[in-house]
Amino acid sequence: MSAEPQRTFEIERKYDADTDTALPDWSGVPGVVSVSDGEQRELDARYLDTADAALARNGIALRRRTGGPDAGWHIKGPRQGDGRLELGWPLGDAERLPDAVAEMVAQWTDAELHPIARIENSRTAFLLRGADGVIAEFVDDHVRARDLRTGIRREWREWEMELGPAAPDDRSAFFAAVDAAVFAAGGREPSSGSKLARALGL
């Protein structure tokens, strides 16, 4: 496995939605020419941290996720401005933490890592396209999570809109239009900052 990770800077917005809420209408969002059919993805992620939550205290999330186009080991860093850096490595041949990932984690902690949460997600992904390509990806997530420290299970539905390679220059106007479409459909501001936090009851 290569020690050099794939780097992605994610700029996204999250929303809560009820189970029966209809999907938003994106026709009023500036620049959107078409929306793809939904692509179904079944995702299964195991999150790890130390007994004293050393990674979380540094704003870091470590997971091994299967399913979807970016299956692998991921380290999500703390928020930087309006986005967050994600580092990714291939899954490898076993569930053991790969050396390349362990070396990266060592800058925050050398303590033993333990599974803290499992998050399964039935996702439907849509591409919002403009004249120059993919403006953003919208995902409709039905999440089933278990806090592995306590055994508590939680379920919820959430939406995410992440900017794509042909994102508009005026991000504020784009996300303002997205907010309007989401709220018109019955979506809400997110109740938690991340799936992991919500899985852990934070």
Side-chain angles (χ1 to χ4, degrees), residues 1-184:
M1 176 184 295
S2 171
E4 188 61 30
Q6 178 178 343
R7 298 172 182 268
T8 306
F9 191 73
E10 299 179 332
I11 299 175
E12 64 183 19
R13 296 290 186 275
K14 300 169 74 72
Y15 308 91
D16 284 356
D18 294 331
T19 302
D20 57 353
T21 301
L23 293 176
D25 175 7
W26 305 121
S27 61
V29 177
V32 174
V33 174
S34 65
V35 179
S36 71
D37 293 334
E39 177 186 319
Q40 302 297 319
R41 302 170 184 170
E42 293 297 327
L43 312 177
D44 189 346
R46 313 293 176 98
Y47 287 79
L48 297 90
D49 204 340
T50 63
D52 62 350
L55 296 181
R57 285 187 283 106
N58 283 282
I60 303 298
L62 169 64
R63 74 183 178 201
R64 181 184 189 272
R65 189 168 77 182
T66 59
D70 64 342
W73 288 91
H74 305 135
I75 293 176
K76 299 182 76 115
R79 182 163 292 279
Q80 303 174 32
D82 59 355
R84 195 175 186 188
L85 179 64
E86 178 178 301
L87 307 178
W89 295 262
L91 283 172
D93 298 326
E95 294 191 14
R96 182 184 67 85
L97 187 71
D99 291 343
V101 183
E103 290 173 9
M104 185 67 70
V105 170
Q107 65 185 291
W108 300 293
T109 182
D110 58 2
E112 184 178 359
L113 296 167
H114 304 276
I116 58 170
R118 179 181 183 182
I119 299 178
E120 298 172 275
N121 183 9
S122 296
R123 166 172 287 181
T124 308
F126 303 85
L127 298 179
L128 277 62
R129 296 190 175 93
D132 298 320
V134 176
I135 294 176
E137 181 183 59
F138 170 75
V139 296
D140 178 21
D141 289 343
H142 293 259
V143 185
R144 305 171 304 282
R146 183 159 65 98
D147 184 337
L148 298 178
R149 308 164 308 169
T150 64
I152 294 175
R153 297 177 182 272
R154 297 178 172 90
E155 294 189 15
W156 67 92
R157 184 186 183 196
E158 68 177 53
W159 296 335
E160 293 180 5
M161 182 71 80
E162 181 180 342
L163 293 182
D169 293 333
D170 190 345
R171 296 172 183 170
S172 296
F174 174 77
F175 279 120
V178 169
D179 286 350
V182 166
F183 300 149

